[in-house]
Amino acid sequence: MRKVILDILAQAQSPVSGEELSKKLGVSRVAVWKHIQTLKKLGYGIESNSLGYRLLNRPDLLLPEELGDLGIKVYHFQELPSTMDVARKLAQKGETALVIAETQTHGKGRLGRNWHSDKGGIYFSLILRPHVYPASAHLLCLMTAICVAKAIRHLYGLKAKLKWPNDVLIGGKKVCGILAEMEAEMDMVKYINLGVGINANNTISYYAKTAVSLKELLGKEVNRKALLIEVLNQIKYHLGQPEEKLTQLWKQLSDTLGKKVRVIAPRQIFEGEAISLDTDGALIIKTAQGIKKVVAGDCIHLR
């Protein structure tokens, strides 16, 4: 209902009366007034006078009313400890949804790291229920990194690249991190929650020398709504593509392959040259002791 009101006001050349809105929506004028008050509280600049209502401006918030029809339920919060916490509870209830927070107080990264989530970034968790085997589920992390990189390249012309297993870099600095959680049975994934944090309009270079935001790179703020929608459209397009296709796309965008790396994997730490990516998403390393295949772990680029 609120989205319809916004659409009507946005298209109007003059104030729209409460009576006209009530007729178009099939609700009472009191109901219209209540929706207008809710929109004002959300941050929409709506002028009310004797002639009716006029939309003056929209807030820079990733509200469901601003994102259009995504084909999925959207939960929006001003602040959360972590979108992954909410997504996990929703997934366990059987929902497929998108959880967005303007800020996070305890944002999560890989290996228990904190993800600084101040105002201006894009922080969301997407609940998916793909028909994949648990052994292939981590490919969705690679797919999501591909989608973020392609969205940034398409919208801003920046040469976003991928660092194994799930970072997006620009100029060697991190602009996006991705985290995945899943619940699965022996031969079936019940759900996968993809957590994404994009440094969009936040300023982070003063405390993180290895990270950067799009605003800092471009010298101006980006349209966060347009970026989020583009990322989601990329995910919708690439979801379900063959493993060979995804790994080939990842190789084309890789900033890891051909570099000397230090790999911190379960029960082992070693160095070598990253030479390829297997179709299951594993990183292939050429070491002094021979070829090693790493399915899970942390990868550090060495000079």
Side-chain angles (χ1 to χ4, degrees), residues 102-117:
E102 297 295 333
T103 61
Q104 297 179 120
T105 56
H106 294 86
K108 298 176 181 179
R110 291 185 65 252
L111 305 177
R113 300 188 185 104
N114 293 326
W115 179 267
H116 196 82
S117 312

Side-chain angles (χ1 to χ4, degrees), residues 23-271:
K23 288 181 179 178
K24 287 184 176 181
L25 299 171
V27 298
S28 68
R29 292 182 63 177
V30 173
V32 169
W33 181 84
K34 289 181 178 179
H35 283 301
I36 293 290
Q37 299 313 304
T38 300
L39 288 168
K40 286 182 177 181
K41 289 179 181 178
L42 288 173
Y44 288 91
I46 299 177
E47 180 183 64
S48 306
N49 55 41
S50 59
L51 297 176
Y53 303 105
R54 187 160 68 98
L55 180 63
L56 302 178
N57 54 67
R58 294 173 178 267
D60 180 26
L61 297 173
L62 300 175
L63 296 163
E65 292 82 0
E66 293 293 294
L67 299 177
D69 184 11
L70 299 176
I72 190 173
K73 189 169 184 178
V74 179
Y75 292 87
H76 175 272
F77 300 87
Q78 286 290 343
E79 182 179 280
L80 284 176
S82 169
T83 59
M84 291 295 270
D85 294 339
V86 174
R88 189 182 308 111
K89 293 177 181 178
L90 292 173
Q92 290 170 349
K93 292 179 181 178
E95 289 202 38
T96 301
L98 175 67
V99 181
I100 303 170
E102 297 295 333
T103 61
Q104 297 179 120
T105 56
H106 294 86
K108 298 176 181 179
R110 291 185 65 252
L111 305 177
R113 300 188 185 104
N114 293 326
W115 179 267
H116 196 82
S117 312
D118 54 355
K119 188 176 179 180
I122 298 175
Y123 317 110
F124 71 88
S125 291
L126 179 63
I127 305 170
L128 297 176
R129 299 182 184 276
H131 299 291
V132 298
Y133 291 107
S136 301
H138 67 283
L139 277 171
L140 290 177
C141 251
L142 300 180
M143 179 208 71
T144 304
I146 291 168
C147 294
V148 173
K150 290 184 70 173
I152 290 172
R153 284 172 171 250
H154 173 69
L155 291 177
Y156 314 115
L158 296 170
K159 292 185 178 179
K161 293 189 174 184
L162 307 179
K163 175 177 175 286
W164 191 88
N166 58 359
D167 290 343
V168 181
L169 311 179
I170 299 177
K173 293 188 175 182
K174 187 171 181 175
V175 75
C176 172
I178 298 159
L179 180 68
E181 294 180 355
M182 76 170 179
E183 183 173 324
E185 297 176 355
M186 287 294 293
D187 59 349
M188 181 185 71
V189 170
K190 296 180 69 175
Y191 66 80
I192 295 178
N193 293 343
L194 294 170
V196 180
I198 304 174
N199 297 326
N201 292 333
N202 42 338
T203 302
I204 62 172
S205 59
Y206 69 93
Y207 65 81
K209 293 181 179 179
T210 59
V212 70
S213 71
L214 295 172
K215 182 181 77 171
E216 292 169 321
L217 290 166
L218 296 168
K220 61 180 181 180
E221 292 193 345
V222 301
N223 185 323
R224 295 189 308 139
K225 289 170 278 191
L227 178 54
L228 175 57
I229 291 170
E230 180 65 20
V231 170
L232 294 172
N233 285 338
Q234 290 282 352
I235 291 174
K236 184 177 180 179
Y237 175 77
H238 288 91
L239 192 63
Q241 288 195 354
E243 295 177 358
E244 295 80 2
K245 176 66 174 178
L246 291 176
T247 52
Q248 186 61 35
L249 285 172
W250 192 93
K251 289 177 184 179
Q252 293 172 2
L253 295 170
S254 173
D255 193 52
T256 296
L257 298 183
K259 288 189 174 180
K260 187 176 181 182
V261 298
R262 177 179 296 120
V263 175
I264 303 172
R267 297 182 295 279
Q268 60 177 333
I269 300 176
F270 59 89
E271 294 182 4

